[in-house]
Amino acid sequence: EVQLLESGGGLVQPGGSLRLSCAASGFTFSTNAMGWVRQAPGKGLEWVSTINGDRTYYTDSRFTISRDNSKNTLFLQMNGLRAEDTAIYYCVKEGDLGYFDLWGRGTLVTVSS
Amino acid sequence: DIQVTQSPSSLSASVGDRVTITCRASRDIRTYLAWYQQKPGKVPKLLICAASTLQSGVPSRFSGSGSGTDFALTISSLQPEDVATYYCQKYDDAPLAFGGGTKVEIK
């Protein structure tokens, strides 16, 4: 079955760090661009980061995207977290040119003291 | 950075109505535009890429049009199962960006 399964979300204090993981299955992970999209409670979708080959793209330098092709796993390291980073973080597989054709169920990150 | 603006932010229509949602990019993005549907409590789903290419399994009452800066998503005959929030997304280049969303309800 083609799927993405995120983990690593949770409650973190402001200024803290968190590492999200996304386990991919059912497709050739290593040849696909992958990314993260987030959605704050009751708000719209926001692109966070993309990794395509050895190139990475971000909206925010506090975040670092990486991947382990041997384990079919995508990561998002988030540092210096703020209350406004509270959101569901979705792992996404990108289509040929940057649209998102497969979404995980998401993992909730809550930044609060 | 290129901005993407959707309108309206919400709409209410009757079953069987034709519904159109528009998306405007602040600069030319050719046809690098996708549309997504997010039903309440669910994960977003890709409906259309390349402005007008319907994804497999998406009902034919959905269609996309446009190029350059102006785009539209049309539902030819609104059905109860189409209640959702719809988002456009530009992907010509980083940073990728979504529109603010359009919430579609049944009158």
Side-chain angles (χ1 to χ4, degrees):
Chain A
E1 182 185 2
V2 179
Q3 67 175 3
L4 300 170
L5 187 60
E6 303 93 337
S7 60
L11 176 64
V12 61
Q13 292 191 338
S17 297
L18 213 54
R19 190 193 198 202
L20 306 182
S21 299
C22 170
S25 60
F27 64 96
T28 306
F29 177 76
S30 61
T31 61
N32 280 275
M34 299 291 298
W36 294 92
V37 171
R38 70 182 182 182
Q39 186 169 35
K43 302 297 185 183
L45 301 172
E46 180 184 16
W47 171 73
V48 174
S49 185
T50 288
I51 183 166
N52 188 352
D54 58 358
R55 292 171 295 171
T56 58
Y57 306 88
Y58 303 95
T59 56
D60 194 318
S61 58
R62 295 176 298 136
F63 298 164
T64 303
I65 192 170
S66 62
R67 65 195 297 166
D68 184 340
N69 289 335
S70 69
K71 297 182 179 178
N72 290 349
T73 304
L74 180 72
F75 303 100
L76 184 68
Q77 177 69 42
M78 304 186 294
N79 299 327
L81 285 163
R82 307 164 183 158
E84 53 265 38
D85 296 316
T86 294
I88 296 172
Y89 285 73
Y90 295 103
C91 174
V92 291
K93 170 182 165 293
E94 297 197 9
D96 293 342
L97 294 171
Y99 54 86
F100 310 117
D101 60 3
L102 180 65
W103 295 64
R105 289 188 171 186
T107 186
L108 177 62
V109 172
T110 303
V111 184
S112 175
S113 55
Chain B
D1 296 346
I2 298 176
Q3 310 301 316
V4 180
T5 305
Q6 255 182 267
S7 61
S9 56
S10 65
L11 66 89
S12 182
S14 299
V15 172
D17 281 356
R18 182 182 183 88
V19 168
T20 298
I21 299 166
T22 64
C23 183
R24 174 164 287 179
S26 58
R27 291 201 304 273
D28 185 351
I29 59 170
R30 291 162 286 175
T31 56
Y32 293 113
L33 190 100
W35 290 96
Y36 300 86
Q37 176 193 62
Q38 186 176 31
K39 295 185 177 182
K42 300 297 185 181
V43 174
K45 172 187 173 183
L46 177 67
L47 296 177
I48 288 169
C49 66
S52 60
T53 301
L54 206 65
Q55 293 301 287
S56 175
V58 175
S60 58
R61 62 181 179 273
F62 290 91
S63 64
S65 63
S67 67
T69 60
D70 293 306
F71 302 86
L73 172 69
T74 299
I75 308 173
S76 61
S77 177
L78 187 67
Q79 300 301 305
E81 59 266 33
D82 300 334
V83 168
T85 300
Y86 294 84
Y87 296 91
C88 61
Q89 179 230 337
K90 72 97 177 173
Y91 57 94
D92 62 312
D93 198 0
L96 309 180
F98 289 92
T102 297
K103 187 174 183 179
V104 174
E105 298 176 323
I106 300 291
K107 194 181 295 183

